[in-house]
Amino acid sequence: MKTLAYLLSIVLCCYAIPQDLRGRVFTFPQQTANSYTRLYPQLEKIFFSSSVCFRFFTDDLSTICPFSLSIPGKSNSLTIFLHNDKIEFWVGDKLVYFNRMAAELNEWNSVCATWDSGTGLVQVWLNGRPSVRKALHAGGSISGTPFLVLGQDQDSHGGSFDAQQSFTGQLTDVHMWDYVLSPCEVQTYTQAGAFRPGNVLDWGAMEYTRHGYVVLERLQTLDTCRMGSLSNKASPEDSVSIPELNVNTHDVPEHSQDNLIPEQSGFENDIPIPSGDGTNPKLSEDMKMTV
């Protein structure tokens, strides 16, 4: 029986089951060469265009890789690197740099990247701000079994990670489409509006497996900080500023309203409560007994 339970736990741990990750983040707390999250696409097809969007929070932009897609024979089929002052975008093992695209440290940022094989044009959007459009992998395609990774750069199909290029921080709201998003769709995503979820990767129905030191946790929101202060249990670590656009009200527990009621002071039983007419019933009764 113990052997069966052990085997079952391994299967449940490693088998990817679609989950709604809205309001949750993957936290990568340190640089490693073996910690990552693998994502399983809903579509396996030949891609002639694509769009990828995600949000990230980090204090390090020294050549880190939050998103990597490889196919056999091409480790950088669709990969995004973040630098201090630019974004590096790979498609089909070819790359371009988008200069003067600097993300904010210790703030939530959103990135969208698009590629169209027909025109050969690629573009990135950082916090809703578009880059210049550049040429990359015109007439090409992405075909083969995709291996998608968060937090590491793949130097081979599904492996050969380098700790110096690993992502440290938090990632959330990862979506991927098999077409090019319009500027309006990018803006809607950036502002956390009602956008159409990715048809390749959908954060609301994501199949994934975690490997190494990766933590899945709730997104810290302003609401949780306010509730924590009311209960006098807030700590400095809970005071991370999160943009209002990322607050997901569906993630507040149903009983959260109870948490908004401050704890009783403890004096209610010691001090008699006046009645509606201004008299104190307990004091009045004591006076009668002494008459």
Side-chain angles (χ1 to χ4, degrees), residues 20 86 142 178 211 227 264 288:
D20 186 350
K86 58 180 176 281
I142 301 174
D178 65 347
H211 306 264
M227 286 189 292
Q264 298 296 330
K288 292 178 181 179

Side-chain angles (χ1 to χ4, degrees), residues 218 224 227 249-262:
R218 285 188 178 276
T224 59
M227 286 189 292
T249 56
H250 296 291
D251 291 316
V252 180
E254 294 181 358
H255 59 277
S256 61
Q257 295 298 325
D258 299 336
N259 297 332
L260 298 177
I261 302 176

